[in-house]
Amino acid sequence: MKEIADILKAYQKAKKENKKTALATVVKVEGSSYRRPGARMLITEDGQLTGAISGGCLEGDALRRALSAIHQQENKLITYDTNDEDDAKFGVQLGCNGIIHILFEPIKEDGNLNPIELLQAANQQRKNCVIATLFSLNDKSQPGSIMLFRENECLENLPADISGEVKNDAFDALMSKISKFETYSINSIEVEAFLEFIPPPIQLIIAGAGNDAQPLAEMANILGWEIVVVDGRQTHSTQQRFPSANQILVSKPEGVLSQIKIDEKTAFVLMTHNYNYDTALLNFLLSTNAPYIGTLGPKKKLIKMLDELGCNNVANEERVHGPIGLDIGAETAEEIAISIIAEIKSVFTGGSAIKLRDKKNPIHFYETKNG
C-alpha cells in the first residue's frame, strides 16, 4: 500500500500541474523478475517516475512506452523477455531472467472509471479488496484496470457478458486472501485477468513515547504503515516528537482500546518502560483479537506479566512476543527498531526470517492461484 499511496500523491501533484500521466502495472511474470504482479509505477509526461516495476533495468524503456500510451490515449501491453542473453538493454546483466508483461494505461479524466480511482478507493478504507486488471497477450485491445471489489462494495466497468464471472472469482480471491489469474472471453477474444488481493497496511500501535520509540515510528512510516503512538505522559506523546504518526493518544491503559479499531493487520508494541502500564494494557489486549503483541524487555518480564494476569498459556505464547524482535545483535534504539519491524513483517507475511541464502523457494515468492 505504500507504493499505492505514493502514486496517489504523485498523481494529485501532476493533476494540479496539468500534467498528463500513465500508470504502468506488472500484470504477469514468467520466470524470475525483481518485481512481481501488482508492482506499479506512475509516469508523467515530463518523465517523473513514482513507484517501480523493476530494479531499474526496465524504467528507461517504460518511460518511452508510457509516453506513447499518453500520446495515443490507449492502453498498451508490452512484454519484456530478459531471457535473451544477447539483449542486454533490459538488464540481463542485473540478474533478471524472465518474461515480464507490463500494462500501460493513460489516465483519462473522461468520466469513466480509471485505474487511479480504483487505487484511491483501495486506499480509503482499512479493508481487504481485490482489483481486477484485464489484458490480452494475443490481441491489441487491452481492457485494463476495470474493477475494485470488496465486501459490500464494487466499483466496475466490466463487459456485461463476463461481469458475473469476474465478480465471483474476485470474491474467491477476497475470501482466500490470495491473488489469482483467470481467463475470460470477450467478443470471442480471450483475455486474462489478474485478480490482485490487496490488504490494508499494517497498523502499528506503539505504547510508549520515549526516545527509543521515535526510530521505530520513523521506520514504520518509511514502510507505509499506519502509526498510533499512545502514552500516559502528555509531555512525551506529542505530534512534534512523532511527526509521522497518524494518531497520537494520551491515555491510561483502560482508555486505549476505545480509541483504536483493531483488525487482522494490527500490531501492538509495549515499550513504555512502565511495568504497571504495560501489564495493565496487556491485560486488555489479551481479551481482543489483536494478532500481534510484542513486549520490550527480557523474557522473564513477560512471563511475570502473564503469570500475574493468570494468562500464561500456549495460546498467548503464539501471539505475544517477548523479547520482541529478531536476533540481529541489536543494541541501539535504531537497531532495535529494525529488529522489531523485521519480526512484525515476517509474522504478517508468513516469512521464515531465515537467511536468504538458506531459502529453498525463490526469494520473491508470490503466491497466486490459477483458475
Side-chain angles (χ1 to χ4, degrees):
M1 290 296 284
K2 174 65 162 60
E3 189 167 70
I4 290 176
D6 289 344
I7 284 172
L8 292 174
K9 184 177 179 180
Y11 173 75
Q12 291 303 326
K13 182 176 183 294
K15 184 178 178 182
K16 193 174 295 185
E17 297 171 353
N18 294 315
K19 296 178 182 177
K20 294 179 180 179
T21 58
L23 185 69
T25 305
V26 178
V27 292
K28 188 173 183 178
V29 170
E30 301 167 57
S32 175
S33 76
Y34 185 81
R35 297 299 306 272
R36 306 305 293 170
R40 293 178 174 86
M41 182 172 71
L42 185 78
I43 303 102
T44 65
E45 61 182 334
D46 62 345
Q48 296 296 311
L49 309 178
T50 303
I53 52 172
S54 75
C57 50
L58 300 181
E59 270 67 3
D61 187 73
L63 172 59
R64 181 172 66 87
R65 304 289 188 171
L67 294 178
S68 174
I70 291 172
H71 177 71
Q72 297 180 26
Q73 285 295 286
E74 66 178 19
N75 297 346
K76 294 179 177 293
L77 184 76
I78 304 298
T79 297
Y80 297 94
D81 187 349
T82 60
N83 286 308
D84 186 353
E85 295 183 0
D86 294 327
D87 188 358
K89 69 178 180 179
F90 294 139
V92 174
Q93 296 160 339
L94 297 180
C96 298
N97 188 25
I99 301 173
I100 307 162
H101 305 278
I102 298 176
L103 181 68
F104 295 87
E105 301 175 89
I107 308 304
K108 303 175 184 178
E109 297 287 346
D110 57 4
N112 293 322
L113 194 63
N114 68 47
I116 290 295
E117 291 176 290
L118 297 179
L119 296 181
Q120 287 171 336
N123 196 52
Q124 284 172 352
Q125 299 185 46
R126 282 195 57 81
K127 292 183 179 180
N128 297 331
C129 69
V130 172
I131 288 183
T133 304
L134 274 60
F135 58 97
S136 174
L137 299 179
N138 304 310
D139 190 82
K140 183 179 179 181
S141 176
Q142 303 295 336
S145 304
I146 208 163
M147 182 188 74
L148 176 134
F149 184 91
R150 59 163 57 102
E151 286 190 273
N152 304 319
E153 181 184 13
C154 183
L155 302 176
E156 53 96 0
N157 190 23
L158 291 164
D161 53 342
I162 64 168
S163 177
E165 286 184 86
V166 177
K167 290 176 184 176
N168 286 337
D169 291 330
F171 178 80
D172 290 342
L174 190 67
M175 293 299 100
S176 67
K177 300 179 183 178
I178 299 175
S179 299
K180 61 188 297 190
F181 290 91
E182 296 289 348
T183 302
Y184 307 102
S185 178
I186 302 176
N187 297 325
S188 300
I189 298 173
E190 185 178 278
V191 297
E192 293 190 46
F194 173 46
L195 301 172
E196 180 188 6
F197 172 73
I198 302 178
I202 292 172
Q203 177 182 221
L204 178 63
I205 317 297
I206 305 174
N211 291 346
D212 59 344
Q214 291 175 310
L216 179 60
E218 291 171 10
M219 292 181 189
N221 177 60
I222 290 173
L223 296 177
W225 296 4
E226 295 183 3
I227 307 156
V228 179
V229 176
V230 56
D231 198 295
R233 299 168 294 180
Q234 193 167 8
T235 54
H236 287 63
S237 194
T238 66
Q239 199 75 53
Q240 184 177 4
R241 284 173 53 78
F242 295 90
S244 61
N246 301 82
Q247 189 178 2
I248 302 285
L249 301 176
V250 179
S251 176
K252 295 180 179 180
E254 58 269 25
V256 172
L257 297 187
S258 64
Q259 303 177 72
I260 296 171
K261 185 176 180 181
I262 298 173
D263 57 33
E264 60 185 12
K265 298 280 286 185
T266 299
F268 280 86
V269 176
L270 308 184
M271 54 186 305
T272 66
H273 301 283
N274 181 321
Y275 179 83
N276 292 331
Y277 191 106
D278 284 354
T279 304
L281 182 53
L282 178 60
N283 186 38
F284 292 112
L285 292 176
L286 291 176
S287 63
T288 71
N289 62 348
Y292 181 98
I293 304 167
T295 62
L296 193 68
K299 189 173 186 66
K300 61 183 181 180
K301 172 190 171 184
L302 175 58
I303 293 173
K304 181 181 177 182
M305 294 165 70
L306 292 172
D307 283 342
E308 287 185 9
L309 298 173
C311 298
N312 197 351
N313 54 52
V314 174
N316 287 326
E317 285 182 4
E318 289 295 318
R319 64 175 181 145
V320 183
H321 303 254
I324 192 173
L326 299 182
D327 181 12
I328 60 171
E331 290 191 22
T332 67
E334 290 78 11
E335 292 169 349
I336 292 170
I338 292 173
S339 170
I340 293 172
I341 291 285
E343 182 184 63
I344 293 173
K345 176 67 176 177
S346 68
V347 168
F348 280 111
T349 60
S352 64
I354 65 173
K355 294 179 181 178
L356 288 177
R357 70 180 183 185
D358 297 329
K359 189 174 174 67
K360 303 301 181 183
N361 292 322
I363 293 174
H364 299 292
F365 179 69
Y366 184 89
E367 187 175 15
T368 59
K369 283 185 178 180
N370 291 309

